Each structure stands twice: as structure tokens, then as C-alpha cells.
Amino acid sequence: MREDSSVYDEGVVIEEYRKGFKLGDRLLRPSMVKVSAGPGQEKPETVESSVQNEGPTEDSEEDVSAEGDSDEQTTP
């Protein structure tokens, strides 16, 4: 696994999940590790919309009553 890191240089093992084993020159089980990919690219800032929610709309109220979440109960 690779992970962006500003702390470690590229190619440095950050974390070892499972230890690997060798017997002589023969690999019995490879290790499972997380390796630093170096510092990642900076993410662009998201632009917040100027429209603010002022509460539920008529559509959302209809959806709630259609789901049966209202306090009113009907008898069959």
C-alpha cells in the first residue's frame, strides 16, 4: 500500500501490517507494508456556495409524510 506523507521521504516503510519470513535465500512469506509516496499534490480549495439552507422545503415535507414518519396515523 502507498500513502502520501509530508513526514517521510518517498520509498520509506511507514507501517508493517504482517511480518515477512525468509529461510536462507527462499522467501516463505512476503511482508505486508505501507510505503510513503512522498508529499502528495495539494488539493484545490472547494468553493462554498452562497446559497444557505433555510429549512425544509415543501418537497421534503411531502417525502416525510409519504414515508409514514408523520405523527398522524390512519386506520385501515
Side-chain angles (χ1 to χ4, degrees):
M1 179 184 330
R2 293 178 61 90
E3 182 178 277
D4 294 338
S5 173
S6 59
V7 178
Y8 299 102
D9 293 331
E10 183 176 0
V12 175
V13 174
I14 298 174
E15 195 171 343
E16 183 178 30
Y17 295 110
R18 186 176 72 180
K19 189 171 175 74
F21 296 101
K22 283 178 74 173
L23 181 61
D25 290 335
R26 185 173 176 192
L27 179 65
L28 298 177
R29 182 174 79 178
S31 61
M32 191 184 315
V33 296
K34 183 191 301 185
V35 179
S36 171
Q41 297 178 355
E42 290 186 23
K43 296 179 184 175
E45 293 182 22
T46 58
V47 178
E48 295 181 20
S49 77
S50 59
V51 179
Q52 296 179 356
N53 292 338
E54 297 178 6
T57 61
E58 291 180 26
D59 294 337
S60 65
E61 290 175 3
E62 290 178 28
D63 291 341
V64 170
S65 63
E67 293 175 7
D69 290 338
S70 66
D71 292 334
E72 298 177 18
Q73 295 180 353
T74 58
T75 56

